[in-house]
Amino acid sequence: MSERLLLPSLAEAPLSDGELGFLWSFIDASIMFPATRWRLRDAWGMCPRHALGWLQVELLLRPNLLHGPALLYEDLLSRAVGAMDVHGPGRALRLAWRLRMRAPCLMCELGYGPQSPGFPPEGLAQRRADLVPLCSFVHETSPWWKEFVYGTCVGNDHSARCREHLRTEHAYAEATFREQQERVRRIAGHVSAFARSFRWELRGTATGADRAGLIAAIGWCQGWGSFVELVREDV
């Protein structure tokens, strides 16, 4: 059973006034609060709808500045690398415990959904259905992130696993487990390089693979279904 609520995708239901208002304040204010960051750690980010909604709002307001999402998922993938460093008897069960969600999506817990009332900026509210910047970013980086897409999420036989399926599938060989560890390390490396590229002295150093690391990190943490729905032809 999925850990998360099954909210409709952005394609099915644009962000509500409440969701827009929360995300507008979130990107420059509440994400900086230590308590908020710990809550995001406990939930491995946000649910698929709200993770993509956050990217949508960031790309609508400041398309060349994804520093906040990059920093969060750099942190989460660093935790994932540590969680995957597990050996000995009962490894699968101990890994499942380490990769579990310890709290629900922050926005879901606060009651934000497709019908939530709120007071977002007028210009942002008028663009609530504009998925073009989000889809463009996902599409442009797809040559690099699609190797990390897990088959069960999208209906193919790829061997990669997202966090939730790695957590719930308890039977895999040593070689397969090492393969998953290496994938997580690679995602962590790319999203970290993307986050560092926002430093003045490292500006312009992010590669296409580094930018794709953000998509790969979100897909690994939250599952791939919502991304693939946006750009099905890329998978």
Side-chain angles (χ1 to χ4, degrees):
M1 180 180 297
S2 173
E3 297 171 315
R4 302 182 186 273
L5 297 174
L6 296 178
L7 294 179
S9 69
L10 298 181
E12 296 171 323
L15 291 170
S16 66
D17 283 349
E19 290 172 319
L20 285 170
F22 178 92
L23 289 167
W24 177 67
S25 64
F26 176 77
I27 62 177
D28 280 323
S30 59
I31 189 177
M32 303 304 295
F33 299 158
T36 300
R37 295 299 292 269
W38 277 107
R39 279 289 287 99
L40 292 168
R41 284 181 174 181
D42 287 344
W44 290 96
M46 295 183 181
C47 70
R49 174 182 173 84
H50 291 137
L52 265 67
W54 181 20
L55 278 191
Q56 180 194 6
V57 170
E58 290 272 7
L59 288 164
L60 287 172
L61 295 179
R62 45 191 188 186
N64 296 314
L65 190 61
L66 290 169
H67 196 197
L71 285 174
L72 173 64
Y73 284 93
E74 176 188 31
D75 179 41
L76 294 181
L77 265 292
S78 175
R79 289 186 60 226
V81 169
M84 294 283 287
D85 187 20
V86 56
H87 309 277
R91 179 181 63 191
L93 292 176
R94 287 186 287 127
L95 179 64
W97 178 256
R98 292 183 179 191
L99 296 182
R100 76 196 188 284
M101 286 175 57
R102 292 177 291 180
C105 167
L106 176 61
M107 289 185 66
C108 291
E109 187 176 42
L110 293 173
Y112 289 106
Q115 307 301 323
S116 301
F119 302 95
E122 182 178 353
L124 183 59
Q126 291 174 346
R127 300 187 67 188
R128 74 176 74 239
D130 184 359
L131 297 178
V132 172
L134 174 61
C135 289
S136 295
F137 182 75
V138 175
H139 171 75
E140 290 164 4
T141 55
S142 65
W144 296 279
W145 59 251
K146 63 183 179 181
E147 69 171 289
F148 299 107
V149 178
Y150 178 43
T152 298
C153 290
V154 300
N156 64 35
D157 59 357
H158 199 290
S159 63
R161 288 174 169 82
C162 67
R163 179 194 60 82
E164 184 171 349
H165 286 107
L166 188 61
R167 184 182 68 83
T168 56
E169 293 181 12
H170 295 164
Y172 30 77
E174 178 65 28
T176 302
F177 183 74
R178 289 199 301 270
E179 178 184 324
Q180 306 305 323
Q181 285 181 307
E182 180 58 26
R183 284 195 177 101
V184 171
R185 291 191 191 102
R186 288 174 57 205
I187 295 172
H190 284 305
V191 75
S192 180
F194 185 40
R196 291 196 306 271
S197 74
F198 291 100
R199 299 177 187 172
W200 178 255
E201 69 274 16
L202 295 175
R203 63 193 183 281
T205 59
T207 65
D210 296 334
R211 289 165 58 81
L214 177 58
I215 302 298
I218 297 173
W220 187 86
C221 289
Q222 272 74 59
W224 283 101
S226 296
F227 278 122
V228 173
E229 184 176 330
L230 292 176
V231 287
R232 168 64 68 173
E233 70 278 7
D234 289 322
V235 180

